[in-house]
Amino acid sequence: MALLPILRYPDPRLHTRAKPVARVDAGIRKLAADMAETMYAAPGIGLAATQVNVHQRLLVLDISDDRSQLQIFINPEILSREGECEGEEGCLSVPGIYETVKRSERVKVRALDRDGKPFEIDADGMLAVCLQHEIDHLDGKVFVEYLSKLKLGRIKAKLAKQARITA
């Protein structure tokens, strides 16, 4: 397994819409394993392939406290949404930034597992938020883009300053 470089906002590649995975094979399973290793090392609870500059519809997440419940979603799609909730979100592609975002409280998602078998999941709470956040990445959207233009401008300025300091 290998650690993959994570794209940082406002990298334009983060706005690329991911294409469906045509075939679940050893290459996709290796990518999922590498993404999981990268997510855990970052550390994070979710990672979409778009964030590692692979534009295929694949995401991994693990919201367990002990990192024992890795979930892999290939070609995920949201079938239904219910309710509304607000919560603080962060992102491995926007390090150090945490902002309140409105999301659906519950979602039903259809996807393929690591073996290419279809499944559906009804998610609420943190799992629902994470799925929406990561699927947004696959659609070319980053969570900070839900914020006001003023907040987004401040975040871009802060990230540019961080980049100058670490360069």
Side-chain angles (χ1 to χ4, degrees):
M1 290 191 284
L3 291 179
L4 305 169
I6 298 172
L7 299 178
R8 298 262 176 120
Y9 187 80
D11 191 309
R13 295 172 291 181
L14 287 168
H15 294 105
T16 304
R17 189 171 176 82
K19 295 191 177 359
V21 172
R23 199 169 57 111
V24 178
D25 57 16
I28 289 296
R29 285 189 284 278
K30 180 180 184 331
L31 175 60
D34 290 347
M35 286 173 55
E37 185 177 356
T38 302
M39 173 188 72
Y40 289 133
I45 59 173
L47 188 66
T50 301
Q51 292 176 270
V52 294
N53 200 29
V54 176
H55 303 288
Q56 294 194 28
R57 297 190 72 78
L58 167 66
L59 66 88
V60 297
L61 55 87
D62 186 342
I63 60 170
S64 67
D65 290 333
D66 62 359
R67 300 175 164 211
S68 65
Q69 296 174 24
L70 177 66
Q71 297 179 71
I72 297 169
F73 294 80
I74 301 167
N75 295 337
E77 62 178 307
I78 296 175
L79 300 175
S80 64
R81 300 171 183 267
E82 289 180 38
E84 189 176 274
C85 64
E86 271 189 353
E88 191 174 77
E89 292 186 28
C91 181
L92 296 176
S93 290
V94 193
I97 304 294
Y98 299 90
E99 290 289 340
T100 301
V101 177
K102 284 185 184 176
R103 298 276 186 188
S104 298
E105 190 174 22
R106 289 174 297 285
V107 293
K108 181 177 206 151
V109 173
R110 176 174 46 219
L112 302 175
D113 67 14
R114 69 178 309 279
D115 297 316
K117 294 188 176 115
F119 70 95
E120 289 184 6
I121 185 170
D122 290 306
D124 59 12
M126 177 70 77
L127 180 58
V129 169
C130 286
L131 282 165
Q132 291 170 83
H133 178 110
E134 300 307 333
I135 290 171
D136 272 356
H137 276 301
L138 299 177
D139 292 336
K141 188 163 187 172
V142 181
F143 89 101
V144 293
E145 293 162 357
Y146 284 102
L147 306 174
S148 70
K149 287 186 182 197
L150 178 63
K151 271 191 178 179
L152 185 56
R154 288 181 181 156
I155 288 168
K156 284 181 177 179
K158 182 177 181 179
L159 293 172
K161 183 178 180 182
Q162 286 175 353
R164 284 192 304 276
I165 291 169
T166 59

